[in-house]
Amino acid sequence: MITLHPFSANAAKDQAHLRLIETTDLHVHVLPYDYYTDRPDDSIGLARIASLVSNLRSDASNSLLFDDGDFLQGSPMGDYIAYERGMRDGDLHPIIAAMNAMEFDAATIGNHEFNYGLSFLLKSLAGAEFPVVSANVVREKRNEPTNDTPLVPPYKILNRVVIDGIGQHHNIKIGVIGFVPPLVMNWDRRHLEGNVQTRDIIEAAQAYIPEMKERGAELIIALNHSGIAEANTFEGQENTSVALAAIDGIDAILSGHQHLLFPGPAFDGLIGVDTQKGTLMGKPAVMGGFWGSHLGLIDLMIEQSGGQWRVIAHESKTCPMPPHREKAEKFSDCSRPVLSAVQKAHAETLQYVRRGVGKTSTPLHSYFSLIAPDASEQLVSSAQLWYLKMMLEDSEYDQLPLLSASAPFKAGGRGGPTNYTDVPAGDLAIRNIADLYLYPNTFRALCITGLELTEWLERSAGQFNQIHPGQQNQILLNPDFPSYNFDVVSGVTYTIDLSQPSRLDSRGVLVNPKARRITQLQYQGVDVRTDQKFIIATNSYRASGGGDFPGAFTDNTVFEGPDTNRDVIARYILEHDVIHPNTDRNWSFAPMPDTTVLFDTSPAAHTFLGDIDHMNITPDGNTEDGFARFKIKL
């Protein structure tokens, strides 16, 4: 049964209801299938959310469907297309095929679209039956943004027909403009440097919005693959949606990049942000989660006056993927075109991820990776050190101490109680390696000092809340700190003093200059000197400034590997055939008598409590959101 939105039901003559539907951060999640575990997953996928899109279109007199970027990378299907099948001229990428089937109206480019290089990106976009826009990534910068040579069109003016409240049809010009964080030049330097340049998002918007108006755009929608943060702006800011909304002429903001929901409490307290009404600087805005978990929805009541359309009322919300009451392989009629579009790529991806590469004698999981060294991270570090030693042999750096930094990509958090690595002992396939290392970053090695190493670890130690000695049942983990920024460094030993406040906040800004959580930092049993030099293995994201780690910047790079970190892990396993990863227990929490903390992880962690038998940890029930809670005596 179709129930019209009140804007559609109550629109009068020369008034129309226009619904904007957003997907964002799909990351090649087309089917409801988890390739890492090799089983169906009804909580993800464009095919699953197609029925919701269909229903939302039916509930409105007029609607448009947009994607806010990061659609081309992020699942084994994306890696299979990029690394195995490739994109020849005329090939159709499966995510583009799926979006064509759903009849998207427009999309923008996210930062992860560049992960496989410009040629791959442009060949993939060539198959899109909808415009893809981005105003601040250009082939050549000139005196003004509007004179730049664009990589893709900076904006598109869509000529559409809307139906008003009495059924009359009206022509309308809707401008759509796109943006991506300028930091992409750091994050994908090897693909972009010398090939493209970026402009500040606000600078580009201020230049292009007047031009769009001059060319007849009556409404302007910003597809901003950039998050929501403080309204104060600076050159090259990553998350600009609030500042963007302040620009005159923009009518609605579709935001993304942060994998969060807006409207919603994640952004409480920010000036200019109304998390209840879903507005930024008074304008409607949304952010629709990730992987197809939600849709962003903006309903506009627009009115024509003096030959121009304007917004007179608006509503914003997010719509979760509806529960699927049938078996995973059954879909509604509106999902079947999406399924047909990717069926062959899905079958080929399954063959790709099931390919064997070796064996492990030890289970590899990340259930306790935030409270103790674990075998899954040890495998990553061992592979990185093995590769680094080969690459630096007979170089000027081969006598310096070698370290390796790795972080758990899947450790609960926003991904929920199933968002963990869990690879049983036995055969290892490519899907398992993708599970151990989620992103296709490339290998980097940096030369850093002992002081920079200390600050690097201080940055990582922001994972934890400050714990007060003698108090019981304190929450251990800082919910604002992503696990992929919890770098564990192998090759040194150290302790983390939780009684100290974090030296840096969750964004890497120094907030407590006198605080020091990292103690007893030693290399081969000797205290690390501030001027001592080390070579540390990491990845392209971290080495290019991702996470704002002290010492992790391009000038410190001594080696850029041609291989992804995943490829390094696969080669390491192939070389050794059977691996025996273990934990060297190189870091721990400083003792704190009569003090307990609470740590949340997956219920599956109960099976592996023996892996951390050196800790005083006991089960303490479950949380409302499905995590298992454990109590740790420090």
Side-chain angles (χ1 to χ4, degrees):
M1 178 180 177
I2 296 175
T3 304
L4 287 178
H5 185 276
F7 285 178
S8 283
N10 299 326
K13 183 179 184 297
D14 293 329
Q15 291 181 340
H17 172 207
L18 179 61
R19 169 165 283 176
L20 312 179
I21 306 170
E22 178 211 40
T23 60
T24 187
D25 295 275
L26 291 171
H27 289 286
V28 209
H29 287 83
V30 183
L31 299 183
Y33 200 91
D34 185 340
Y35 294 108
Y36 300 125
T37 60
D38 204 0
R39 60 174 179 251
D41 182 350
D42 272 354
S43 68
I44 59 176
L46 196 57
R48 279 279 287 112
I49 213 162
S51 59
L52 180 57
V53 169
S54 177
N55 291 338
L56 291 172
R57 281 169 162 163
S58 299
D59 292 346
S61 302
N62 312 279
S63 64
L64 296 169
L65 176 62
F66 299 113
D67 184 82
D68 204 53
D70 273 9
F71 50 81
L72 205 58
Q73 177 278 333
S75 81
M77 178 180 282
D79 285 352
Y80 163 71
I81 298 297
Y83 296 133
E84 290 283 313
R85 198 199 77 178
M87 284 293 295
R88 298 181 299 271
D89 290 336
D91 282 352
L92 189 58
H93 194 287
I95 186 67
I96 297 295
M99 295 167 75
N100 287 343
M102 288 182 62
E103 299 181 353
F104 274 74
D105 289 277
T108 193
I109 297 172
N111 53 290
H112 282 289
E113 262 66 80
F114 298 97
N115 284 170
Y116 303 128
L118 283 178
S119 175
F120 182 89
L121 168 60
L122 295 176
K123 287 177 181 177
S124 298
L125 297 184
E129 296 172 0
F130 49 88
V132 179
V133 296
S134 187
N136 69 316
V137 179
V138 301
R139 290 194 180 275
E140 184 180 355
K141 288 170 69 170
R142 295 186 176 145
N143 59 328
E144 296 290 338
T146 52
N147 293 328
D148 291 345
T149 303
L151 178 69
V152 297
Y155 63 85
K156 177 71 174 178
I157 296 178
L158 305 177
N159 295 303
R160 293 292 188 267
V161 174
V162 292
I163 303 172
D164 71 8
I166 62 171
Q168 291 184 340
H169 291 62
H170 302 264
N171 294 322
I172 186 171
K173 293 181 179 292
I174 299 172
V176 181
I177 187 168
F179 306 97
V180 67
L183 287 169
V184 70
M185 289 301 299
N186 292 334
W187 298 336
D188 269 304
R189 182 181 301 272
R190 73 188 181 102
H191 291 310
L192 302 185
E193 194 169 48
N195 296 308
V196 298
Q197 298 171 284
T198 58
R199 283 194 181 270
D200 177 75
I201 289 175
I202 303 305
E203 176 192 21
Q206 288 173 335
Y208 276 114
I209 299 303
E211 179 178 292
M212 295 171 72
K213 286 290 188 184
E214 289 175 7
R215 294 190 176 182
E218 298 170 87
L219 301 176
I220 294 180
I221 314 301
L223 306 184
N224 191 36
H225 188 83
S226 172
I228 299 171
E230 293 83 357
N232 56 306
T233 62
F234 53 87
E235 181 74 19
Q237 187 174 2
E238 179 179 359
N239 296 309
T240 59
S241 291
V242 178
L244 191 64
I247 295 176
D248 187 43
I250 293 177
D251 294 289
I253 305 281
L254 306 187
S255 184
H257 183 56
Q258 291 171 311
H259 289 211
L260 295 171
L261 299 176
F262 183 80
F267 304 101
D268 282 345
L270 293 178
I271 296 173
V273 178
D274 190 323
T275 57
Q276 297 294 318
K277 293 182 179 179
T279 61
L280 304 178
M281 307 300 284
K283 294 178 182 176
V286 287
M287 184 186 298
F290 60 100
W291 299 0
S293 65
H294 293 72
L295 293 172
L297 191 66
I298 295 177
D299 288 294
L300 303 175
M301 178 70 92
I302 58 176
E303 183 176 72
Q304 189 180 50
S305 178
Q308 290 287 315
W309 289 93
R310 64 186 181 92
V311 178
I312 61 172
H314 51 77
E315 294 179 356
S316 303
K317 67 178 182 178
T318 59
C319 301
M321 180 183 291
H324 201 190
R325 305 188 184 282
E326 302 177 81
K327 292 183 179 180
E329 59 268 18
K330 293 183 179 179
F331 296 87
S332 61
D333 289 342
C334 48
S335 299
R336 291 196 179 99
V338 180
L339 295 173
S340 298
V342 300
Q343 204 70 2
K344 184 173 184 291
H346 173 61
E348 292 170 350
T349 302
L350 290 178
Q351 292 180 344
Y352 170 73
V353 300
R354 291 167 180 169
R355 189 181 306 162
V357 294
K359 296 179 182 293
T360 174
S361 63
T362 307
L364 304 170
H365 62 82
S366 61
Y367 298 128
F368 302 112
S369 59
L370 299 181
I371 61 170
D374 74 85
S376 65
E377 279 191 73
Q378 188 64 54
L379 169 57
V380 173
S381 280
S382 295
Q384 291 181 168
L385 286 170
W386 166 80
Y387 182 79
L388 180 60
K389 186 175 181 180
M390 288 192 300
M391 295 298 106
L392 295 186
E393 188 175 0
D394 296 328
S395 76
E396 60 182 302
Y397 304 105
D398 68 352
Q399 297 304 309
L400 289 178
L402 303 184
L403 310 177
S404 178
S406 62
F409 293 119
K410 298 177 69 176
R414 296 169 187 159
T418 62
N419 185 39
Y420 292 88
T421 296
D422 190 343
V423 180
D427 292 334
L428 285 171
I430 285 179
R431 67 181 177 88
N432 302 130
I433 296 170
D435 199 18
L436 288 163
Y437 207 101
L438 202 57
Y439 300 107
N441 301 320
T442 52
F443 188 91
R444 292 285 192 279
L446 308 177
C447 183
I448 62 173
T449 65
L451 177 60
E452 289 170 329
L453 172 61
T454 302
E455 296 294 339
W456 189 308
L457 291 170
E458 290 284 0
R459 169 76 173 109
S460 181
Q463 175 71 73
F464 310 107
N465 293 322
Q466 184 179 8
I467 303 302
H468 302 284
Q471 293 187 17
Q472 308 300 305
N473 299 343
Q474 301 169 75
I475 300 298
L476 177 63
L477 300 181
N478 175 2
D480 295 327
F481 196 99
S483 67
Y484 58 75
N485 278 340
F486 181 59
D487 274 6
V488 171
V489 176
S490 294
V492 289
T493 58
Y494 55 97
T495 60
I496 301 175
D497 183 358
L498 298 176
S499 69
Q500 292 286 307
S502 181
R503 183 170 169 81
L504 302 101
D505 68 11
S506 60
R507 298 167 300 165
V509 177
L510 181 66
V511 289
N512 294 298
K514 295 183 179 180
R516 288 289 181 188
R517 285 184 164 182
I518 301 303
T519 64
Q520 302 179 42
L521 176 59
Q522 295 186 332
Y523 174 73
Q524 295 185 347
V526 179
D527 290 346
V528 169
R529 304 187 314 274
T530 57
D531 63 346
Q532 190 171 359
K533 289 188 175 181
F534 298 89
I535 304 297
I536 187 167
T538 182
N539 59 64
S540 52
Y541 172 77
R542 184 71 78 238
S544 299
D548 294 308
F549 274 64
F553 42 81
T554 303
D555 289 348
N556 280 357
T557 300
V558 298
F559 176 74
E560 293 190 25
D563 302 301
T564 68
N565 295 69
R566 285 182 186 171
D567 291 336
V568 169
I569 297 167
R571 287 173 57 185
Y572 175 78
I573 295 170
L574 285 164
E575 178 77 15
H576 292 81
D577 190 28
V578 180
I579 59 169
H580 307 280
N582 53 36
T583 59
D584 54 14
R585 297 186 181 177
N586 68 310
W587 70 272
S588 62
F589 298 125
M592 204 178 298
D594 302 317
T595 306
T596 63
V597 294
L598 299 177
F599 165 68
D600 297 339
T601 184
S602 168
H606 288 277
T607 303
F608 300 99
L609 276 175
D611 292 354
I612 52 169
D613 55 8
H614 61 291
M615 301 182 72
N616 195 331
I617 181 169
T618 54
D620 196 53
N622 297 308
T623 68
E624 291 183 356
D625 47 2
F627 286 91
R629 176 158 286 179
F630 291 86
K631 180 186 293 187
I632 304 171
K633 290 184 179 180
L634 296 174

